[in-house]
Amino acid sequence: MQEPGQMIYALQQNIAKAIVGKEEAIEYALIALLCKGHVLIEDVPGVGKTTLASALAKSLDCSFKRIQFTPDLMPSDVTGFTLVNFKTGEMEFKPGSVMSQIVLADEINRTSPKTQSALLEVMEEHQVTVDGVTHPLPKPFCVLATQNPGEFVGTYPLPEAQMDRFFLRISIGYPTIEQEMDVLDRYSGSVKPMATIEPVCTAEDVINLQEQVTQVYCSPEVRSYVATLVAATRQEPALSLGASTRAAIALLHGAQACALLDGRDFILPEDVQHMVLPVIAHRLVLNPEARMKGIAAEDVLMNILKNVTVPVKL
């Protein structure tokens, strides 16, 4: 078992073979994995959303399945189904694509709400119920979903209940000219960068890291800080829907992971501040007036951060 910092560094360097200059996005994806959470990668087409998810999956010695979400995808394709074995006369469960440790839900907003809802139990309970029988998912389990926020034709926006089940949302963004030149150089040869990625840690390593995250100490003052930040979103006039209790728990766990990666066994307010935007922003719903003014949820959160008193005594 390696030290948490060493293992995360190894994973970051391995993923960076395919993703150039997006250290923060890689870090957030790894934090979600350590917190047993799921990731929504939201950005314009062609900037590496699927590449990031695939590179993370290949860096782990875990089972991996990719689900291409399309309008004709059925819930049973995701969760699985039961059928009769005519040799034995018994019902048999045929696992769906979600029965894997790392699941890439590519273009999740292109499938119908009926199929999207098949992931609700999976993401929250880490189990699948088919015909009244519950089947646990393998550990560790993580859903990496991608979507393009600017496309509306043939898409179905994710409901608030499902957005709330994503631990965090990350954006990759366009590279700089220097970074794009590096990408072109890597992809100009016969060997693609993705082919050079090898597993650097096992499923057991990930599970051990997840256990270490829960052991990071959080003082009453920091817990009060988290609760105050979340409560402030529910009282913000620009928002019609604030952060949930699930969001508060996710923010606390994200701060624990930040502290662990920094080599500490306790949380600082800076850890909470570092995780506020990726963990909370996608869960908020702006009211119509704020949307008309072009106000973003990130702007509202930054204003809340400025007005909430940071604890000094820890």
Side-chain angles (χ1 to χ4, degrees):
M1 178 65 186
Q2 306 176 51
E3 289 295 324
Q6 294 175 345
M7 185 173 297
I8 293 300
Y9 179 77
L11 285 169
Q12 288 173 327
Q13 293 302 305
N14 206 45
I15 296 172
K17 294 177 181 178
I19 299 291
V20 178
K22 301 300 177 184
E23 292 82 4
E24 187 176 63
I26 295 172
E27 178 193 3
Y28 284 143
L30 293 174
I31 286 175
L33 178 67
L34 297 190
C35 296
K36 304 179 183 180
H38 311 291
V39 183
L40 178 62
I41 310 174
E42 187 177 85
D43 217 319
V44 296
V47 294
K49 299 187 300 297
T50 303
T51 302
L52 172 59
S54 299
L56 173 59
K58 289 192 68 175
S59 297
L60 305 172
D61 190 14
C62 298
S63 57
F64 171 63
K65 291 284 182 66
R66 172 178 176 174
I67 309 174
Q68 185 64 51
F69 279 78
T70 55
D72 60 346
L73 191 73
M74 299 296 294
S76 59
D77 297 327
V78 176
T79 60
F81 55 91
T82 55
L83 50 75
V84 178
N85 185 326
F86 290 102
K87 291 184 179 180
T88 63
E90 298 179 351
M91 300 295 290
E92 288 188 356
F93 173 65
K94 296 297 181 182
S97 301
V98 80
M99 297 295 288
S100 185
Q101 291 170 311
I102 307 296
V103 177
L104 170 57
D106 210 6
E107 296 188 286
I108 189 173
N109 59 334
R110 287 198 174 278
T111 195
S112 67
K114 181 179 181 180
T115 304
Q116 288 177 6
S117 64
L119 285 173
L120 292 176
E121 180 188 12
V122 171
M123 295 172 66
E124 182 67 19
E125 306 295 338
H126 291 197
Q127 65 184 26
V128 169
T129 301
V130 178
D131 294 333
V133 180
T134 299
H135 306 272
L137 294 171
K139 297 179 180 180
F141 176 70
C142 179
V143 174
L144 301 162
T146 69
Q147 72 171 1
N148 303 323
E151 295 184 355
F152 301 102
V153 178
T155 62
Y156 303 85
L158 297 179
E160 287 78 7
Q162 188 151 10
M163 291 292 285
D164 198 35
R165 280 168 169 78
F166 283 104
F167 183 83
L168 53 76
R169 178 183 63 183
I170 58 178
S171 297
I172 297 177
Y174 288 115
T176 64
I177 293 178
E178 291 76 14
Q179 291 170 350
E180 197 141 36
M181 288 174 61
D182 192 355
V183 171
L184 295 175
D185 179 59
R186 297 187 189 190
Y187 280 86
S188 61
S190 57
V191 179
K192 302 304 179 187
M194 191 64 70
T196 65
I197 296 180
E198 299 289 340
V200 296
C201 70
T202 64
E204 184 180 356
D205 291 331
V206 175
I207 293 172
N208 287 333
L209 284 174
Q210 290 174 340
E211 290 300 320
Q212 290 186 53
V213 168
T214 61
Q215 297 170 11
V216 175
Y217 175 70
C218 180
S219 67
E221 290 78 13
V222 172
R223 292 200 300 271
S224 175
Y225 184 49
V226 171
T228 303
L229 285 171
V230 171
T233 66
R234 301 165 188 164
Q235 301 166 3
E236 172 60 45
L239 300 175
S240 60
L241 181 65
S244 65
T245 302
R246 184 189 288 118
I249 296 171
L251 182 55
L252 177 63
H253 287 169
Q256 287 178 306
C258 275
L260 182 67
L261 298 188
D262 201 34
R264 287 179 279 105
D265 60 357
F266 60 92
I267 300 176
L268 294 175
E270 288 80 0
D271 299 320
V272 177
Q273 295 164 359
H274 181 64
M275 296 304 299
V276 162
L277 290 182
V279 171
I280 302 295
H282 67 283
R283 307 170 192 262
L284 306 179
V285 178
L286 295 165
N287 62 32
E289 183 180 354
R291 288 198 299 268
M292 289 181 63
K293 292 180 178 179
I295 298 174
E298 289 79 4
D299 299 329
V300 176
L301 273 177
M302 291 304 296
N303 187 55
I304 290 174
L305 271 176
K306 292 177 183 177
N307 293 324
V308 173
T309 304
V310 179
V312 177
K313 179 184 176 182
L314 300 177

